[in-house]
Amino acid sequence: MKVVFVRHGESTGNAGAAAADHTAMTLSPEGLRQAEAIAEQWCASPDLIAVSTYLRTQLTAQPTARRFSNVPVEVLPMEEFTYLDPSRWNGTLRTERLPHIEAFWQKADPAYQDGPGAESFELLLARVDRTLKLLQALPAQSLVYAFGHGQFMQAVRVALLFPHWSAKQKMKNFWAFNARHPIGNADQMEADFNGGRWSTPNVERQHRPNDGMPD
């Protein structure tokens, strides 16, 4: 089976606006254009369209869902990684959060939670594992278009490329890996499940497991 993960189109937050609720952030005009372009470029009808609970993924998926109106749409646990407590940071700009973002990744503690509304890196990895298990339970020849988020998709990529790494190793290297291999708005990433294992053929050709990162 094949899953095409798609990062949502440009959100108002990506365009520089502060958001009172990061889960309800909408798309910018450019994001709406990207969503339409994604729907037009598909070559095959999927068996499932998956989204996260966040509005921006659902808005990005809407044109695809309209094009393939007979295909079911399902919510999977692909929400963006929220590692700063929203009760303290909703309504702020990224520039205001940046010192705290950098401190979080420098700490490299996969069990650390910034507050009751935040997620640890270990919990992110657990959601990645849960999502992949839900997908691999689908019929073997299934094709899924999964509309998600940049850091969630990056966590999928790291989990599949470096399965032998501990959560500590994955977190310690995640920020630098993300900077070298960013996932932009509307970018896509394929993952295949065959013979009882996941692979990311296109990614593996671009980013070999050594990738200049410590093992």
Side-chain angles (χ1 to χ4, degrees), residues 4-8 38 42 146-149 153 186-189:
V4 183
F5 289 97
V6 186
R7 186 183 174 193
H8 60 80
I38 290 167
W42 297 122
F147 292 81
H149 302 262
M153 289 170 59
D187 280 356
Q188 298 179 17
M189 180 183 78

Side-chain angles (χ1 to χ4, degrees), residues 26-178:
T26 188
L27 296 182
S28 69
E30 172 62 12
L32 293 171
R33 186 201 65 77
Q34 289 171 332
E36 294 290 346
I38 290 167
E40 292 172 4
Q41 59 87 45
W42 297 122
C43 296
S45 175
D47 300 287
L48 178 68
I49 297 168
V51 296
S52 83
T53 59
Y54 288 12
L55 178 61
R56 54 193 183 272
T57 66
Q58 297 170 18
L59 292 175
T60 306
Q62 274 184 1
T64 295
R66 285 197 301 268
R67 178 178 171 188
F68 304 110
S69 57
N70 62 325
V71 174
V73 177
E74 183 176 333
V75 174
L76 294 181
M78 300 185 297
E79 294 80 28
E80 186 57 296
F81 183 31
T82 302
Y83 52 87
L84 296 183
D85 187 358
S87 68
R88 291 191 289 128
W89 297 106
N90 275 350
T92 62
L93 297 172
R94 191 177 189 278
T95 52
E96 299 173 79
R97 300 190 300 272
L98 188 57
H100 304 273
I101 291 171
E102 292 174 341
F104 175 85
W105 290 107
Q106 288 169 5
K107 189 180 183 72
D109 178 358
Y112 171 75
Q113 286 183 263
D114 187 57
E119 187 176 37
S120 70
F121 190 77
E122 285 180 337
L123 290 174
L124 168 64
L125 294 178
R127 275 200 296 113
V128 167
D129 183 63
R130 189 160 71 252
T131 298
L132 293 177
K133 285 179 178 175
L134 289 168
L135 290 167
Q136 70 193 47
L138 296 171
Q141 301 305 313
S142 296
L143 172 63
V144 180
Y145 297 152
F147 292 81
H149 302 262
Q151 289 188 101
F152 180 86
M153 289 170 59
Q154 198 69 276
V156 171
R157 179 152 65 177
V158 168
L160 296 185
L161 283 175
F162 309 106
H164 58 294
W165 279 9
S166 67
K168 176 78 172 180
Q169 287 174 301
K170 290 172 183 172
M171 185 176 185
K172 185 176 179 181
N173 291 284
F174 188 92
W175 190 247
F177 184 78
N178 187 60

Side-chain angles (χ1 to χ4, degrees), residues 1 140-141 192-199:
M1 64 98 66
Q141 301 305 313
D192 298 334
F193 185 72
N194 293 299
R197 67 179 293 272
W198 284 96
S199 62

